[in-house]
Amino acid sequence: MYARIAVQGCGTLLVLLACSETTVRPAPEAAQLTPSAAVAAPPPASVSVTVQVPASMRTSPFNVTRTLTVPPTFSIAVYTRVSQPRFLATTPNGNLLVSQPSTGKILLVRPVAGGNPAVSDFAVGLRRPHDIVFHTIGTTTYIYVAETNRVSRYIFNPASLTAGARQDIITGLPDASSPELNGAYGHELKNLALDASHALYVSIASTCNACTSDTQSNPVRGAIYKYNADGTGGRLFARGLRNAEGLAIDPGTNELWVVVNNRDNIAYPFNDGSGNYGKVIQSYVDNHPPEEFTRVRDGGDYGWPFCNPNPDSPSGYDSMPFDLDYQFNAAGTVNCAAMDRITKGIQAHSAPLGLTFLHGTTFPSAYRSGAVIGLHGSWNRSVKTGYKVVHFPWDDVTHQPGNQIDLVSGWLSGNTNWGRPVDMAVDAQGGLFISDDQSGTIFRLSQAPTTDKPPVARFTHSCTGRTCRFDGRTSTDDVGITKYAWNFGNNAVKQGSVVTYTYSASRSYKVSLKVTDTAGQVHTRVKNITVP
């Protein structure tokens, strides 16, 4: 069972805990709940630093000193200024591509020794280009570009400063020019991803905040479609995803993950005698429904617009049960119990856009097993939220995200924001580019070279029967240890400073403990133990 709060007109949702009657509703089946992955998080943003700005780039908002909050030993600088930059992709030869939907361009940003980066037009005359993805098939590297009405690709030529010949591989995608939409398409920008098997995924977002017409259209909107890499063989892959902006492939599983902007102005869905049933109440809207960070399976349905994930159950933001949407499913005609649960929720109205897995990149190793998401920020919440870049540490055994931490924050001060992060990309030197379409900036986050010493792994153990307790708290480091990874000598693994494990047989095992410090340095200790 779990408690749901009945809203009865108090000032905020938090106050309702004290002043409203709590209604108890049946909990979802325990088998459906997936707890948050027990994975150690690296150091979060905690140090306020001055943004480093070249003298030639100090126009508003950098006409005054700006600060952002970053993890210890990190700094952040303005890399270049570009009007309304959106999605990013680093090129194999060390440059940066930036989409600019407002001008119909893809821009090329090249480093210049001893000077500011050079910015030039890479591709022009496009229809609101958005996502950019590099993908190699055989010996050919392609640049895939998502426009509102099509997906095109170019053969990458490192010697050229322009895109070259365009190959339109998917055409006729719905956008504001589609006759049946009469110029109205709320989320016409497209995003894409390609997996290791060369499958191409394209997000076709909703035209609306919430509506049933998108679920009946051809192609279905609020959905993901899957194609061959050359644009052939298109079919519906998953639906019920209102506005999937960031698409990315988990390198460990080749599975598609997305971040989703969920609906606004949700009506109170509980007919609980509070008098609020079916009403749009700001204190409820502020925290419902959560934004979504989720694995997407073939054939999945993720609820929109009929079912909304509920963050108020015991599982919190993990594998949330669904509530009926009052506007479109009050009678429960659509079975919400049959929907695919969202892997991880994010604070409602945060507006997640870019999603980047850091595995295999040169970003500092303490963060590399994780994903970063740009939270563009809210527009209709009573207290603003978002306006930051967050990091989800990744459990490489379960392939599940841990708990969210801030990586860069500070674009929001009080209820005023001076920037809105969009997307992220890692360069060859380990810096993280961050686009901001409000201030017209590409930032670069970087970590100073570490001077701390590597950690030293140590552990003790004791066994009662075949159940053994392992304690790694005697491990040392001059700054701090962030991760303890155990291997029990039989391919079984766990994480944590103190763990227990029950062996199936009495014999000798070679047990290892690998510790990771805040700078990403590691040390492994191996012992032979005898299980009685």
Side-chain angles (χ1 to χ4, degrees):
M1 303 289 286
Y2 69 88
R4 175 184 51 77
I5 300 167
V7 181
Q8 296 187 343
C10 296
T12 68
L13 192 61
L14 290 175
V15 175
L16 296 175
L17 287 168
C19 69
S20 295
E21 181 180 356
T22 299
T23 304
V24 177
R25 308 175 70 239
E29 293 183 9
Q32 293 181 321
L33 296 177
T34 303
S36 179
V39 54
S46 60
V47 180
S48 180
V49 298
T50 298
V51 179
Q52 302 165 25
V53 187
S56 61
M57 301 182 190
R58 292 176 186 169
T59 56
S60 180
F62 302 105
N63 54 334
V64 298
T65 299
R66 296 291 180 180
T67 60
L68 289 169
T69 303
V70 300
T73 75
F74 279 76
S75 62
I76 192 163
V78 171
Y79 182 65
T80 193
R81 302 293 301 276
V82 172
S83 177
Q84 297 180 12
R86 292 286 287 189
F87 275 69
L88 307 174
T90 50
T91 71
N93 60 338
N95 298 324
L96 179 69
L97 295 183
V98 182
S99 71
Q100 198 177 43
S102 59
T103 64
K105 295 179 179 181
I106 303 290
L107 302 177
L108 175 66
V109 183
R110 293 176 294 132
V112 174
N116 295 330
V119 181
S120 59
D121 293 345
F122 185 75
V124 299
L126 307 180
R127 186 177 293 183
R128 301 192 73 194
H130 204 221
D131 212 354
I132 312 165
V133 174
F134 280 83
H135 188 75
T136 300
I137 303 173
T139 59
T140 303
T141 297
Y142 294 96
I143 308 167
Y144 284 77
V145 175
E147 300 176 62
T148 60
N149 66 331
R150 66 188 171 201
V151 174
S152 54
R153 69 181 183 182
Y154 307 81
I155 295 176
F156 174 64
N157 178 1
S160 177
L161 300 182
T162 56
R166 186 184 75 211
Q167 179 188 3
D168 295 337
I169 61 171
I170 302 171
T171 59
L173 295 176
D175 69 357
S177 70
S178 302
E180 70 274 18
L181 297 178
N182 299 312
Y185 199 146
H187 310 111
E188 68 172 353
L189 298 178
K190 303 294 189 292
N191 285 78
L192 53 85
L194 289 106
D195 68 18
S197 302
H198 310 308
L200 168 62
Y201 302 89
V202 179
S203 172
I204 301 178
S206 69
T207 62
C208 57
N209 174 35
C211 57
T212 58
S213 58
D214 282 355
T215 69
Q216 301 157 2
S217 60
N218 184 20
V220 175
R221 298 184 288 266
I224 305 286
Y225 276 74
K226 183 178 181 179
Y227 301 82
N228 298 321
D230 62 1
T232 61
R235 64 175 179 84
L236 180 64
F237 181 74
R239 62 193 302 158
L241 298 160
R242 176 180 175 267
N243 181 16
E245 287 266 1
L247 280 65
I249 304 298
D250 175 5
T253 63
N254 202 38
E255 293 177 322
L256 177 67
W257 285 71
V258 302
V259 291
V260 181
N261 286 232
N262 219 332
R263 67 160 297 169
D264 298 304
N265 298 320
I266 184 175
Y268 187 73
F270 305 116
N271 191 4
D272 55 8
S274 66
N276 294 314
Y277 183 51
K279 295 180 180 179
V280 176
I281 302 168
Q282 187 64 50
S283 60
Y284 186 78
V285 168
D286 275 355
N287 298 304
H288 300 84
E291 313 286 40
E292 300 170 351
F293 176 28
T294 196
R295 182 182 70 88
V296 181
R297 69 171 183 89
D298 197 349
D301 190 334
Y302 295 84
W304 180 88
F306 305 106
C307 309
N308 299 301
N310 180 354
D312 302 325
S313 80
S315 66
Y317 281 135
D318 296 317
S319 187
M320 297 168 285
F322 286 99
D323 292 331
L324 304 177
D325 188 275
Y326 171 83
Q327 188 176 359
F328 297 107
N329 194 28
T333 305
V334 175
N335 180 12
C336 291
M339 298 297 169
D340 291 81
R341 291 199 180 184
I342 303 305
T343 308
K344 178 74 74 172
I346 297 172
Q347 169 63 49
H349 312 296
S350 295
L353 297 184
L355 165 63
T356 301
F357 283 101
L358 298 176
H359 302 71
T361 71
T362 54
F363 197 66
S365 57
Y367 300 82
R368 206 173 293 162
S369 184
V372 286
I373 297 171
L375 302 185
H376 200 226
S378 60
W379 64 271
N380 68 337
R381 195 170 184 271
S382 59
V383 177
K384 287 185 175 182
T385 192
Y387 306 95
K388 58 187 177 181
V389 175
V390 297
H391 179 278
F392 283 88
W394 206 255
D395 188 321
D396 291 322
V397 176
T398 64
H399 301 286
Q400 295 289 306
N403 292 323
Q404 170 187 317
I405 63 169
D406 288 353
L407 184 66
V408 185
S409 62
W411 285 284
L412 176 66
S413 178
N415 225 27
T416 301
N417 56 282
W418 59 269
R420 303 188 77 181
V422 178
D423 193 29
M424 299 72 50
V426 181
D427 68 16
Q429 292 72 42
L432 185 72
F433 292 121
I434 302 168
S435 58
D436 168 5
D437 64 354
Q438 177 179 337
S439 70
T441 305
I442 308 294
F443 296 91
R444 185 176 183 272
L445 174 73
S446 60
Q447 186 179 39
T450 182
T451 58
D452 73 341
K453 298 176 182 178
V456 177
R458 299 185 179 91
F459 67 90
T460 60
H461 78 283
S462 60
C463 297
T464 303
R466 291 200 297 268
T467 298
C468 297
R469 181 179 185 271
F470 299 91
D471 189 337
R473 290 177 296 180
T474 54
S475 301
T476 57
D477 185 69
D478 54 351
V479 177
I481 294 173
T482 62
K483 186 176 182 179
Y484 299 78
W486 300 87
N487 187 306
F488 299 111
N490 58 356
N491 295 322
V493 295
K494 276 189 177 182
Q495 292 187 14
S497 59
V498 181
V499 298
T500 59
Y501 181 71
T502 300
Y503 287 90
S504 60
S506 299
R507 62 179 180 84
S508 294
Y509 295 88
K510 185 174 290 185
V511 176
S512 67
L513 168 63
K514 182 171 75 172
V515 296
T516 306
D517 70 8
T518 57
Q521 299 180 101
V522 300
H523 181 250
T524 300
R525 176 80 62 182
V526 179
K527 287 185 180 181
N528 290 312
I529 72 163
T530 299
V531 177

